[in-house]
Amino acid sequence: MATCSTLNCCFNPLQNPIKTLPSKQDSIIFFFKNKNKNKGFSSSSFSTSSKSKFVLISNKKLPSSRIFCKTISTDTTVNTTNYEFTDGVSEIELRLYLKGREVEDSRDVFVEADGTSLIIKLKSSGLVTTLLETNHLYDKIKPAETIWYIDEDQLVINLKKYDPELKWPDIMETWESLTVGVVPILKGSSLYIVGESTEINQKVAKELAVGLGYTPLNTSELLEAYGKQSIDSWVIAEGGDSVAEAEGVILESLSSHVRAVVATLGGQHGAASKDDKWRHLYSGFTIWLSQSDTDDEDSAKEEARLQIKDGSKAYTNADVVVKLGGWDPNLSQTVAQACLSAIKRLILSDKKLPEESLYQVRMPR
């Protein structure tokens, strides 16, 4: 069945549509901390169509691993190339149309694969053309087992998957491929968006719900419907603790829901800002959208490390932390894409996590 979004065209993972590579990319850099602390960091990237700045961290459910990312602008131009993509059991096949380019010798084709990156270049009529270049394949491959050949007017690349059980919706990690590929590995687990800003929580949660085909839920709206008054009026009349208590009751009722994206109330009046209200947030995966005043990536990473180490903010209980250097509502899908990428990596590091989250609906911490 095709998965559709109001913001994107339908994408069918069960067929082999002819696709077009983007002519330009912005890139988000990820830094993964290895379990062996002495090994330092490794990096990869994924493409996005918008410019923003944020650092992203995987947190509590994988305590020995951290994920950082920040958007940077690149001027790398990739020629528009049509391709077909097929996901097999243990390998994937990529077919690039050569568009009449003559290949005189096998040495005229350059294929460079390394973990999650792939560069394909073709020399024709004395000119070298980049057919595909990405630093963010949908998942890891085994570079040493890469093979390629010419099939009439197509260049065929066979890549061996590192995880044969993982279904690849596309060759690259994009918003479209993530919204298709993350759904089955979530196994119905809900997502909870927490953070200081109710507006940001709601906008990113809406993007995630539309993309995943999940039910969008908004505790702010539910609270106002229940209390028959605005949140501000409620705080003035009964105090912030009363609002947080009521949201905690709502979160308890929502904890039995599956396939939902829940936008929680931001700020000090929200239940997520209080440690004793997190019991029912553990029934799914939590994402903290954290605004930062830092000006660079290293400072944002250090800020996140210190906050997690300090633990004084209840938000540090979240599974994933996304540091936002400023906010633009037009970039909500970019932030949502980063959230999905982090959740995907978190789950692939321990595939039992979704089942544990669902179990905690019945047996909370």
Side-chain angles (χ1 to χ4, degrees):
M1 179 180 294
T3 299
C4 303
S5 158
T6 58
L7 303 176
N8 298 289
C9 296
C10 294
F11 177 79
N12 192 335
L14 302 180
Q15 298 180 356
N16 272 346
I18 297 175
K19 305 174 186 179
T20 302
L21 296 175
S23 58
K24 270 202 170 184
Q25 299 181 23
D26 290 331
S27 184
I28 293 179
I29 305 297
F30 284 85
F31 300 85
F32 294 86
K33 188 173 182 181
N34 293 310
K35 291 184 178 181
N36 184 343
K37 294 182 180 180
N38 296 323
K39 291 183 178 179
F41 295 89
S42 60
S43 66
S44 62
S45 66
F46 72 85
S47 61
T48 175
S49 59
S50 303
K51 295 180 181 178
S52 63
K53 180 177 70 176
F54 50 89
V55 174
L56 180 150
I57 302 173
S58 166
N59 193 11
K60 295 296 183 182
K61 287 186 179 175
L62 190 60
S64 58
S65 177
R66 294 289 186 268
I67 305 174
F68 303 95
C69 80
K70 177 185 175 183
T71 303
I72 61 173
S73 176
T74 67
D75 294 321
T76 303
T77 299
V78 180
N79 286 348
T80 300
T81 303
N82 291 329
Y83 71 96
E84 291 183 12
F85 171 80
T86 305
D87 181 12
V89 176
S90 61
E91 65 181 26
I92 55 177
E93 181 182 271
L94 180 67
R95 288 178 172 264
L96 298 173
Y97 286 84
L98 299 179
K99 294 183 177 179
R101 298 184 179 96
E102 294 184 3
V103 181
E104 298 178 358
D105 192 285
S106 61
R107 290 173 294 181
D108 292 337
V109 177
F110 308 91
V111 178
E112 189 175 322
D114 183 15
T116 57
S117 66
L118 179 65
I119 301 174
I120 303 172
K121 297 183 178 181
L122 177 69
K123 184 177 180 181
S124 180
S125 301
L127 298 175
V128 177
T129 303
T130 300
L131 300 182
L132 184 149
E133 181 174 2
T134 179
N135 290 321
H136 209 78
L137 296 172
Y138 189 77
D139 194 43
K140 292 185 293 184
I141 59 171
K142 299 178 180 179
E145 299 183 46
T146 300
I147 62 172
W148 64 266
Y149 59 92
I150 302 294
D151 182 12
E152 297 183 351
D153 63 343
Q154 296 178 335
L155 173 61
V156 183
I157 314 290
N158 286 328
L159 304 168
K160 187 72 70 173
K161 295 195 290 187
Y162 184 83
D163 182 355
E165 296 180 358
L166 180 65
K167 184 71 176 177
W168 287 39
D170 201 352
I171 186 68
M172 290 179 286
E173 188 178 85
T174 62
W175 172 249
E176 289 80 4
S177 65
L178 282 168
T179 53
V180 172
V182 170
V183 171
I185 64 174
L186 276 173
K187 297 181 179 178
S189 294
S190 293
L191 301 179
Y192 292 87
I193 312 303
V194 305
E196 295 85 352
S197 170
T198 300
E199 176 195 357
I200 295 176
N201 295 348
Q202 291 174 350
K203 289 189 177 296
V204 175
K206 182 178 180 181
E207 292 284 359
L208 289 167
V210 170
L212 296 172
Y214 272 29
T215 302
L217 296 171
N218 185 330
T219 60
S220 178
E221 291 181 355
L222 293 172
L223 282 167
E224 291 181 342
Y226 170 76
K228 295 181 173 57
Q229 60 183 326
S230 69
I231 299 298
D232 290 340
S233 298
W234 193 331
V235 171
I236 293 173
E238 301 183 40
D241 289 343
S242 174
V243 175
E245 190 69 29
E247 188 182 24
V249 173
I250 288 177
L251 289 172
E252 180 179 4
S253 68
L254 295 181
S255 66
S256 61
H257 286 58
V258 295
R259 299 179 181 85
V261 182
V262 181
T264 64
L265 190 64
Q268 60 182 346
H269 309 311
S273 68
K274 306 180 185 305
D275 276 310
D276 61 350
K277 303 299 181 187
W278 269 75
R279 179 182 182 186
H280 299 291
L281 288 170
Y282 292 129
S283 62
F285 291 98
T286 50
I287 302 169
W288 175 20
L289 304 180
S290 175
Q291 294 175 285
S292 175
D293 294 326
T294 58
D295 296 324
D296 59 84
E297 178 185 350
D298 290 337
S299 298
K301 287 192 291 184
E302 182 62 21
E303 180 183 60
R305 286 193 189 97
L306 291 174
Q307 287 175 330
I308 292 172
K309 181 179 180 180
D310 178 62
S312 59
K313 286 190 174 184
Y315 295 129
T316 58
N317 291 313
D319 302 305
V320 170
V321 183
V322 179
K323 281 287 182 183
L324 303 173
W327 171 248
D328 182 343
N330 294 322
L331 299 179
S332 56
Q333 188 181 100
T334 303
V335 179
Q337 180 179 340
C339 294
L340 287 183
S341 183
I343 289 294
K344 186 192 77 169
R345 282 159 175 69
L346 185 64
I347 293 174
L348 293 181
S349 71
D350 184 351
K351 295 181 180 179
K352 295 180 181 179
L353 288 177
E355 295 173 357
E356 291 175 357
S357 292
L358 290 173
Y359 180 69
Q360 287 168 12
V361 171
R362 299 180 292 276
M363 295 291 293
R365 298 177 187 177

